[in-house]
Amino acid sequence: MCGIIGGICRNNITPILIDGLKKLEYRGYDSAGIIVLTKNNKFNRSRSVGKINNLEQKIKNKKTTFESKIGIAHNRWATHGEPSNRNAHPHICNNVISVVHNGIIENFAKLKAKQKKKGYKFTSDTDTEVIVHEIHEYLQSEKNLVKAVQKAVKNFEGSYGIGVISNQYPNQVVAVKNNSPLIIGIGKDGNFIASDQMALINVTKKFIYLKDGDIANIGIDSISIFDKNCNPIKRQTKISKLKSGQISLGNYKHYMQKEIFEQPQAIQDTLESRITKKSVLASAFGYQAEKIFSKIKHIQIIACGTSYNAGLVAKYWLEGIAKISTNVEVASEYRYRNPIIFDDTLFIFISQSGETADTLAAIKTVKKLDKKIYTLSICNCAESSLTRESKLTFLTHAGPEIGVASTKAFTTQLASLALLTVVIGKCHNKISKQQEAKIVDGLNKLPGLISKTLKQEEQIKQLAKTFKNKFNAIFIGRGSMHAIAMEGALKLKEISYIHAEAYPAGELKHGPIALIDKDTPVIAIAPKNDLLDKLKSNLQEVKSRGSKMIVFEDEKSQITKMQNMTIIPTTTNLGVITAPIIFTIPLQLLSYHVALIKKTNVDQPRNLAKSVTVE
Ligand code: M6R
């Protein structure tokens, strides 16, 4: 994870780097650092544990000036070595080279032993420090910064987005990308590098998206890109559609809150031009989609975290409606096992960021197989590594999601998967026109239904107070609502640090019911469907154990109020597609308000980062 930024420009670079670090804070926030070259080509570095504000303050308090035209900076999410000043980037070698790095150098121990023998001194516990020493060593023989970097990276195993500056080459920043995101921003007064475009959106809208193996040499007025053997290559320049206002908080207290309330618009944007009043346009998945979808016999969904939960919901739809066998697996497991893969499988990769290392590794693995398979990614970031790897891409138009806890990305993923279910169902003649029209009608109503559900915030806020002294919670649901229960539990544990687990309601009696006592609230999701009576029986089982119950129900479910039970009529008369999306909303609001009560850092919960770009 971690975020890097750097550049060279005619103006003072430090405010640009600090502003960029703030935008990259979602990638890691346990420490940060900056290094610039002063007028007499000396390094001036500052590092600080905690948020960027601490670093900013430290720089202001320093006697030495950070006014400079060239520099690099870093947000850290610790992998090797605790969060501390000494482990914070940038790292320096012999006062000649400095490096920032996002990723992991897997063979760092071997390189470190070799470098130690050669007399290099280590000042941190990080894997990154081997990068700076390795480049330094090659610089002695090469006398050319780009060549030294190119030779050094040949010795690295793992993932890296790296920014390098040297006081011997004060007019260039060298950057290299391999399995970690890295872009170049082309500005009027200089050129920049960053882990993502958001970090540079206040400076430029023109970007080059580097590919794995690319090495870039960046000057104030020049950008040269080379392949791993140092042959010059060309990469396209693209204009970003991102607006700087899209990533400001506006009147909201937290990004998570803002993003929860943006869901009606996000869903509308995701559906726009992809559905008519009565049908779904197959072309929304690409011009080859229909041909490919008609051939497929199996579906394998691969994703992580919240995106995985979206995949679990989709399994119910793809098997239940489109009648196609579907498996769902977390990417970190899938990539390392030897699954049985059939020809004509459609692999669906779901990811908000499109930069999740495990999901990327999984797509790369399946693409190497000698099998007739197809890849589709459902992703929120158009120019991400994942979309570049997949044959078909479907973009969720949720807009930038900054809060670490994923909200609008999840519901837009569900809306996208609903469209996919209809298109695949049609390709296989499993969906009638009436069925399609009914689903589309439900989807068209979603923005309005979500807005209505959001009005329950005050009621949920009051309910959240009952979690003040709670340390455990259990979420239950049946059918696709089990996946929604999982998403609810993930949200609660992620931002309020309450230990929360989700179970299919019918599974409680096989063990988990032993956990239930008066201090463990049980949150149930109760739509009106074929499984409602079964769920009602499960609630009786919970009641007998004295637990406090919270039930989000369909008004028509008519759950009989019991002692210790709060019933929140959430919605009414929803179909199989709309229900999971709507029942997600109160769970998001609940976890948000519990987190406020627990006084946690809602947008940047401990130990987490928004994009998990390391294994
Ligand atoms: O960007 P991705 O969707 O690939 O991210 C996957 C997970 O890391 C992510 O959903 C994570 O679980 C969220 N923080 C959950 O809110």
Side-chain angles (χ1 to χ4, degrees):
M1 282 111 74
C2 307
I4 69 171
I5 181 163
I8 176 160
C9 63
R10 273 179 265 281
N11 311 320
N12 182 12
I13 192 131
T14 300
I16 297 174
L17 298 184
I18 295 292
D19 180 60
L21 282 185
K22 286 181 182 165
K23 306 261 163 44
L24 290 173
E25 219 167 11
Y26 76 92
R27 301 182 65 87
Y29 33 80
D30 57 38
S31 53
I34 180 170
I35 196 163
V36 296
L37 275 180
T38 58
K39 279 196 182 106
N40 50 357
N41 288 339
K42 290 249 159 60
F43 281 136
N44 193 11
R45 173 173 69 172
S46 184
R47 298 182 289 179
S48 172
V49 173
K51 299 293 170 60
I52 309 304
N53 290 345
N54 298 354
L55 178 70
E56 199 174 13
Q57 207 44 54
K58 208 167 171 184
I59 289 173
K60 279 189 191 145
N61 296 341
K62 274 217 172 185
K63 287 194 187 92
T64 49
T65 176
F66 272 78
E67 184 142 349
S68 169
K69 66 184 171 78
I70 179 166
I72 48 178
H74 186 268
N75 270 349
R76 183 160 186 257
W77 184 83
T79 55
H80 296 65
E82 55 169 13
S84 62
N85 276 350
R86 67 190 292 274
N87 287 332
H89 302 207
H91 293 286
I92 305 176
C93 178
N94 290 345
N95 263 321
V96 171
I97 306 239
S98 182
V99 155
V100 285
H101 165 222
N102 166 32
I104 291 183
I105 303 301
E106 285 164 4
N107 59 336
F108 83 98
K110 217 167 128 194
L111 290 170
K112 189 167 179 173
K114 178 193 86 174
Q115 291 169 353
K116 271 187 170 170
K117 274 193 196 146
K118 290 188 174 162
Y120 283 103
K121 298 268 176 297
F122 282 78
T123 58
S124 77
D125 308 315
T126 64
D127 52 328
T128 299
E129 212 180 335
V130 299
I131 299 177
V132 73
H133 297 321
E134 200 72 0
I135 298 173
H136 179 270
E137 196 191 340
Y138 281 107
L139 194 61
Q140 309 317 300
S141 52
E142 291 299 328
K143 309 284 181 219
N144 174 317
L145 191 56
V146 177
K147 286 226 167 104
V149 171
Q150 180 244 342
K151 291 242 158 116
V153 297
K154 284 204 163 160
N155 299 337
F156 302 154
E157 288 163 21
S159 58
Y160 44 85
I162 302 172
V164 187
I165 58 171
S166 165
N167 55 6
Q168 292 179 353
Y169 301 87
N171 298 317
Q172 63 190 106
V173 175
V174 176
V176 51
K177 170 184 168 16
N178 187 49
N179 288 327
S180 287
L182 196 62
I183 51 123
I184 297 174
I186 308 167
K188 275 197 206 105
D189 289 311
N191 294 311
F192 308 88
I193 56 160
S195 296
D196 80 28
Q197 41 167 330
M198 271 196 287
L200 294 172
I201 207 69
N202 287 337
V203 191
T204 182
K205 288 211 153 66
K206 276 167 92 178
F207 294 103
I208 296 173
Y209 298 88
L210 293 175
K211 294 196 173 167
D212 285 342
D214 288 358
I215 303 173
N217 186 20
I218 292 157
I220 284 193
D221 295 307
S222 63
I223 294 167
S224 320
I225 304 174
F226 306 91
D227 68 10
K228 57 177 188 281
N229 298 316
C230 249
N231 301 310
I233 43 172
K234 287 225 173 323
R235 295 274 175 247
Q236 235 185 323
T237 301
K238 297 196 175 169
I239 309 294
S240 171
K241 290 195 184 111
L242 197 67
K243 296 186 191 95
S244 45
Q246 273 181 299
I247 42 182
S248 69
L249 260 180
N251 292 328
Y252 291 95
K253 261 179 89 180
H254 297 100
Y255 280 106
M256 182 184 181
Q257 186 192 25
K258 179 179 181 241
E259 288 154 8
I260 289 174
F261 279 85
E262 279 173 348
Q263 288 176 109
Q265 190 61 49
I267 296 274
Q268 194 163 315
D269 292 346
T270 300
L271 298 176
E272 197 189 299
S273 320
R274 286 150 167 184
I275 52 175
T276 65
K277 266 193 174 161
K278 289 193 175 161
S279 63
V280 181
L281 307 171
S283 56
F285 291 88
Y287 77 99
Q288 294 165 298
E290 261 183 303
K291 207 167 130 201
I292 292 175
F293 293 165
S294 302
K295 287 189 221 161
I296 58 167
K297 297 197 180 94
H298 311 275
I299 290 179
Q300 175 67 58
I301 300 178
I302 299 175
C304 303
T306 285
S307 299
Y308 167 72
N309 292 339
L312 289 178
V313 175
K315 178 180 163 76
Y316 285 91
W317 296 340
L318 288 160
E319 294 202 332
I321 300 169
K323 310 282 180 212
I324 183 146
S325 81
T326 303
N327 288 320
V328 192
E329 192 162 337
V330 288
S332 53
E333 284 301 313
Y334 192 88
R335 61 182 288 195
Y336 287 119
R337 55 185 201 92
N338 291 315
I340 293 172
I341 295 166
F342 299 101
D343 277 342
D344 299 314
T345 296
L346 173 68
F347 281 86
I348 305 174
F349 299 87
I350 311 173
S351 173
Q352 187 286 128
S353 61
E355 301 297 346
T356 301
D358 286 320
T359 310
L360 283 173
I363 191 169
K364 286 179 183 163
T365 307
V366 305
K367 276 171 68 184
K368 283 192 207 131
L369 298 170
D370 187 20
K371 290 271 170 197
K372 213 157 73 175
I373 58 126
Y374 309 94
T375 55
L376 162 69
S377 63
I378 295 182
C379 188
N380 196 37
C381 297
E383 296 298 339
S384 61
S385 309
L386 184 64
T387 58
R388 287 199 290 270
E389 287 288 340
S390 344
K391 182 156 183 79
L392 301 175
T393 296
F394 186 92
L395 293 177
T396 50
H397 292 159
E401 194 182 65
I402 312 285
V404 163
S406 188
T407 52
K408 61 178 181 171
F410 179 68
T411 46
T412 54
Q413 284 166 353
L414 290 182
S416 310
L417 288 158
L419 301 183
L420 182 69
T421 303
V422 173
V423 173
I424 293 180
K426 280 201 292 186
C427 289
H428 289 249
N429 294 321
K430 300 290 181 204
I431 291 190
S432 67
K433 280 217 155 63
Q434 291 89 320
Q435 226 181 334
E436 179 179 12
K438 201 169 162 212
I439 292 174
V440 171
D441 181 53
L443 290 171
N444 276 322
K445 286 186 177 138
L446 269 177
L449 286 169
I450 296 177
S451 300
K452 204 169 147 209
T453 314
L454 286 169
K455 295 211 171 94
Q456 294 185 317
E457 186 180 22
E458 193 46 45
Q459 200 182 351
I460 292 171
K461 192 172 162 184
Q462 297 309 320
L463 192 64
K465 290 183 185 159
T466 61
F467 283 72
K468 191 166 190 299
N469 299 314
K470 297 285 181 277
F471 299 98
N472 300 292
I474 289 180
F475 288 72
I476 55 171
R478 301 198 68 134
S480 65
M481 293 303 156
H482 169 230
I484 298 305
M486 284 178 69
E487 177 57 11
L490 177 59
K491 286 295 89 95
L492 191 68
K493 62 185 136 195
E494 184 172 27
I495 60 167
S496 72
Y497 316 149
I498 288 178
H499 175 224
E501 296 299 337
Y503 294 100
E507 189 63 15
L508 280 184
K509 58 186 175 293
H510 296 290
I513 204 161
L515 295 171
I516 290 176
D517 59 18
K518 64 179 181 18
D519 292 321
T520 308
V522 173
I523 299 111
I525 309 155
K528 175 141 181 46
N529 61 20
D530 296 350
L531 291 165
L532 181 63
D533 286 339
K534 309 267 174 218
L535 182 76
K536 285 181 179 170
S537 309
N538 301 138
L539 289 173
Q540 289 291 343
E541 292 160 15
V542 173
K543 180 198 161 208
S544 315
R545 272 80 194 174
S547 163
K548 183 171 168 39
M549 285 173 280
I550 297 164
V551 184
F552 294 102
E553 70 158 7
D554 186 306
E555 279 161 12
K556 296 222 164 117
S557 294
Q558 296 187 335
I559 308 264
T560 317
K561 178 122 171 56
M562 304 175 213
Q563 207 188 355
N564 285 329
M565 182 189 267
T566 308
I567 300 177
I568 305 203
T570 304
T571 182
T572 190
N573 223 5
L574 295 181
V576 283
I577 297 261
T578 33
I581 302 178
I582 295 301
F583 278 104
T584 301
I585 310 296
L587 302 185
Q588 294 171 342
L589 287 170
L590 180 66
S591 60
Y592 173 70
H593 284 287
V594 173
L596 293 187
I597 282 159
K598 294 271 184 184
K599 297 194 168 61
T600 58
N601 187 337
V602 173
D603 284 332
Q604 296 172 340
R606 70 183 180 204
N607 306 339
L608 292 174
K610 182 71 182 161
S611 299
V612 187
T613 55
V614 293
E615 261 201 80

